[in-house]
Amino acid sequence: MTTLKKGDHAPAFSALDQDGNSHNLADYKGKKLVVFFYPKASTPGCTAEACDLRDNFERFEANNYALLGVSADAAAKQAKFKEKYNFPFPLLADEDRSVIEAFGVWGPKKFMGKEYDGIHRTTFVIDENGIIDEVIEKVKTKEHAAQILK
């Protein structure tokens, strides 16, 4: 779905998290950044994925990674999701889909025989210089940390 690939410059994004704090790609220079896009806060797959990342957060930190979750949910919904599961990373409330579109993860999906437009569960691993190191399109929600921290 996404046209971004390993070796491309990551899109220079700017978006607000669940608390209204701004996050830009430039803020993460010198760190590896995991940007994981998920369809909807508090749904089973998204919860499993984010909880797996939370449970491995110390390993990410030890390896100089920062994590950012992104969906089109409103800030209040992201805040509830983060609070309920104690996520140690920010969740961007990309309601205008500017970050989602910049990364090319919005498009047609099929669910239970219905077709609709939505977010494709995709994770981008960006290196310290803002270059995409990996694009994970087949996310295993219950073992996603292992897909990133190989």
Side-chain angles (χ1 to χ4, degrees), residues 7-28:
D8 288 348
H9 279 273
F13 63 85
S14 179
L16 300 178
D17 69 14
Q18 73 288 336
D19 299 323
N21 300 315
S22 177
H23 293 266
N24 308 289
L25 178 62
D27 300 340
Y28 296 94

Side-chain angles (χ1 to χ4, degrees), residues 45-60:
C46 300
T47 300
E49 176 183 7
C51 287
D52 179 55
L53 296 174
R54 174 201 65 201
D55 295 346
N56 288 280
F57 189 67
E58 284 177 10
R59 287 175 59 210
F60 283 108

Side-chain angles (χ1 to χ4, degrees), residues 34 36 38 43-61 67 81 85-89 91 121 123 136 138-150:
V34 174
F36 66 99
Y38 57 93
T43 54
C46 300
T47 300
E49 176 183 7
C51 287
D52 179 55
L53 296 174
R54 174 201 65 201
D55 295 346
N56 288 280
F57 189 67
E58 284 177 10
R59 287 175 59 210
F60 283 108
E61 281 196 313
L67 279 76
F81 188 36
Y85 296 101
N86 282 315
F87 297 138
F89 41 78
L91 300 176
R121 186 186 309 279
T123 295
I136 303 171
K138 291 186 171 32
V139 171
K140 295 179 180 147
T141 56
K142 291 185 173 73
E143 46 199 83
H144 194 34
Q147 288 181 288
I148 301 163
L149 296 166
K150 296 191 256 326

Side-chain angles (χ1 to χ4, degrees), residues 42-146:
S42 299
T43 54
C46 300
T47 300
E49 176 183 7
C51 287
D52 179 55
L53 296 174
R54 174 201 65 201
D55 295 346
N56 288 280
F57 189 67
E58 284 177 10
R59 287 175 59 210
F60 283 108
E61 281 196 313
N63 288 288
N64 196 34
Y65 283 95
L67 279 76
L68 276 181
V70 187
S71 77
D73 292 302
K77 190 158 184 199
Q78 297 287 48
K80 269 195 193 113
F81 188 36
K82 182 176 171 23
E83 205 172 293
K84 181 172 182 184
Y85 296 101
N86 282 315
F87 297 138
F89 41 78
L91 300 176
L92 301 185
D94 190 24
E95 289 184 90
D96 67 357
R97 300 203 309 260
S98 62
V99 182
I100 292 162
E101 306 253 359
F103 279 85
V105 296
W106 184 264
K109 296 172 68 160
K110 266 200 173 101
F111 183 69
M112 297 178 82
K114 287 193 172 69
E115 233 184 81
Y116 63 98
D117 280 346
I119 297 173
H120 289 257
R121 186 186 309 279
T122 310
T123 295
F124 295 84
V125 181
I126 301 165
D127 76 10
E128 297 85 345
N129 300 308
I131 306 294
I132 295 171
D133 201 32
E134 190 177 8
V135 179
I136 303 171
E137 296 192 56
K138 291 186 171 32
V139 171
K140 295 179 180 147
T141 56
K142 291 185 173 73
E143 46 199 83
H144 194 34

